[in-house]
Amino acid sequence: MFVKQLYTNCLSEAAYFIESNGVAAVIDPLRDIEVYLELAKERNATIEYIFETHFHADFVSGHLELAKATGAKIVFGPDAVTNFNAYIAKNNEEFKIGELTVKVLHTPGHTLESSCYLLLDEQQQPYAVFTGDTLFVGDVGRPDLFSGNLTKEELAGMLYESLNNVIKTLPDNVIVYPAHGPGSACGKNLGPNTYSTIGEQKESNYALLATDKAKFIEEVTSGLSTPPSYFPINAKINKEGYDALTAVMEKAMQPLTPAELKAKAAAGALILDTRPATEFGDGFVPGSVSIGLEGRFAEWAGSLLPFDQDIVLVTPPGKEEETVVRMARVGFENVVGYLEGGFPAWEAAGEQKDLIITVEPDELAMDIPHDENLVILDVRKPAEFASGHIKDAVNLSLIDMKDPGNLADMEDNLNFYVHCQGGYRSIIACSLLKREGIHNIRNVEGGYAKMKDQKGLVVVQEKPALN
């Protein structure tokens, strides 16, 4: 028996490769499938099944790509309806993987078709359960993501039944392999680990400790943040199908001169710069949006960028293909070229550039008493802001800056000092402000993590009313 978790930090996503006696299966694959094909080659195995735990909303699954490449059967659980050829399994139906068995456990609640896959070993004993978004380490899947006309309360009720009638009946030693880890927006507060056991989760996961259905529903549905805007787009793509990644790459991998990039932008294309935040701040193509590859790139790209507008790239040299693949993972098929030679080529051509002034927290502390027009703009999430922020700071979360209307009231005479927790999101925010013609901004180096210990900056926890 061979079981491998393939974890992608950028998306907090886990796919799985199972093999026994030359027969293999993949669970919840990403769109770029080479890693699964390489594993099959290494194991001298044939991929015969692709198991999908549900219609994913946070990434585009590789089920169609992998099925086309291998001839494997795509399997969904009960109640799934697709626009492509797939096998809709029955509850408790079993599939042989060499000497192993995969058993379908229908567990609606996160979505209607959500299913877990129980892996039985060579002796037909429960070994591991691949729980998708039904059960995470320390959390469960949110019940408010696009399942027909059902309310989140109705789905939460289904989830309670699934957890109590299916998940909690499994032996304590069964390994729990979820589809997501910490940072995923598919739950509220996932734990730090990417796997656990049923026994550990029975002892520590609030959702499995719950014994009252009404209280469970209230707890699971309260405090849910607004799901990222790309979630319904990805869910629809996964249900209806998508273009081959090779076609997406061919369209995107078009080298552009500085003049050609300017022409694309003049025709309406958005310029996306994926260099590290520090490099972007030192100089960039005017009008660019910064989303660095070093952070949660795909998630922020999906949350902030348009899916119906051409995009041209400025990347670190040699990172063009990686950028396109990571964007394709969340459904982008509208990249139409990249700046050949990266930003150095732009500078070498003598083109105009913009920059973002960065200041240390001590400079902000010195400026506060002398600048009546100074505004500290905290772009963290409301929950982060509420847990502690600089006195008199204004909270406008980065996700809300996608709407230019939220930036319209920023007066020209104000001087904005922008920060997040560590510096990644604040550079993105500064780039969005610059695009809207707001240039009197400074990025605070090190973000709140550094600011909270700066003498002269007062930390408070009360949450002032937002304008």
Side-chain angles (χ1 to χ4, degrees), residues 25-331:
V26 179
I27 299 175
D28 293 338
L30 287 179
R31 192 172 184 178
D32 41 316
I33 62 172
E34 288 74 15
V35 63
Y36 316 117
L37 300 178
E38 284 296 320
L39 270 172
K41 184 178 180 181
E42 289 174 15
R43 303 292 303 178
N44 194 26
T46 300
I47 299 173
E48 293 191 2
Y49 294 103
I50 302 160
F51 294 106
E52 290 284 354
T53 55
H54 63 294
F55 293 120
H56 303 282
D58 60 311
F59 69 95
V60 175
S61 179
H63 51 297
L64 295 180
E65 298 269 5
L66 193 55
K68 183 178 179 180
T70 63
K73 180 181 291 186
I74 300 171
V75 179
F76 279 87
D79 295 340
V81 179
T82 70
N83 287 6
F84 49 83
N85 188 28
Y87 183 83
I88 309 304
K90 299 178 179 65
N91 188 36
N92 294 319
E93 188 169 352
E94 297 182 350
F95 299 83
K96 296 297 292 183
I97 311 293
E99 295 183 37
L100 310 176
T101 301
V102 171
K103 185 176 183 179
V104 179
L105 305 177
H106 189 209
T107 51
H110 174 64
T111 64
L112 283 173
E113 78 286 348
S114 284
S115 296
C116 301
Y117 295 101
L118 179 64
L119 180 64
L120 308 177
D121 65 17
E122 297 88 341
Q123 286 74 45
Q124 296 297 292
Q125 295 302 306
Y127 173 78
V129 60
F130 302 90
T131 55
D133 288 18
T134 296
L135 177 68
F136 299 131
V137 176
D139 203 356
V140 288
R142 55 193 298 168
D144 63 334
L145 298 180
F146 327 113
S147 277
N149 296 319
L150 295 179
T151 66
K152 62 180 183 290
E153 288 80 12
E154 290 172 318
L155 283 165
M158 292 182 180
L159 183 58
Y160 180 83
E161 299 296 338
S162 294
L163 294 173
N164 282 274
N165 298 334
V166 180
I167 298 298
K168 288 172 71 171
T169 65
L170 298 174
D172 285 354
N173 64 339
V174 169
I175 300 170
V176 174
Y177 283 129
H180 295 291
S184 171
C186 293
K188 285 196 293 187
N189 189 26
L190 281 67
N193 300 317
T194 62
Y195 63 92
S196 182
T197 66
I198 291 293
E200 289 172 350
Q201 291 308 293
K202 283 180 180 178
E203 293 178 354
S204 60
N205 191 319
Y206 76 95
L208 295 189
L209 290 168
T211 57
D212 182 274
K213 186 174 182 178
K215 290 182 179 178
F216 172 88
I217 292 172
E218 181 180 358
E219 188 166 12
V220 169
T221 57
S222 64
L224 291 170
S225 60
T226 302
S229 58
Y230 71 96
F231 271 27
I233 296 172
N234 280 201
K236 182 178 179 181
I237 290 172
N238 283 322
K239 188 172 184 178
E240 297 182 358
Y242 48 81
D243 290 341
L245 184 57
T246 52
V248 175
M249 294 296 293
E250 183 178 353
K251 177 182 176 182
M253 293 303 295
Q254 302 296 321
L256 303 173
T257 65
E260 289 170 333
L261 182 107
K262 287 172 65 177
K264 292 278 190 184
L270 181 144
I271 305 171
L272 172 63
D273 192 319
T274 69
R275 292 176 298 151
T278 51
E279 290 184 26
F280 181 87
D282 290 339
F284 56 90
V285 178
S288 300
V289 173
S290 167
I291 306 180
L293 291 173
E294 79 274 17
R296 296 185 68 82
F297 170 74
E299 181 178 309
W300 282 115
S303 298
L304 295 172
L305 301 180
F307 285 81
D308 57 355
Q309 180 181 357
D310 285 349
I311 295 175
V312 289
L313 303 175
V314 178
T315 77
K319 293 290 188 178
E320 299 85 5
E321 288 192 17
E322 177 186 338
T323 299
V324 176
V325 168
R326 290 172 67 176
M327 292 181 72
R329 286 175 180 168
V330 291

Side-chain angles (χ1 to χ4, degrees), residues 387-401:
S387 67
H389 58 270
I390 304 303
K391 186 176 182 295
D392 297 326
V394 174
N395 183 215
L396 177 61
S397 64
L398 177 57
I399 191 65
D400 290 328
M401 297 180 74

Side-chain angles (χ1 to χ4, degrees), residues 258 275 282-284 339 342-351 353:
R275 292 176 298 151
D282 290 339
F284 56 90
L339 180 60
F343 188 69
W346 183 266
E347 290 187 299
E351 297 287 354
K353 70 176 183 180

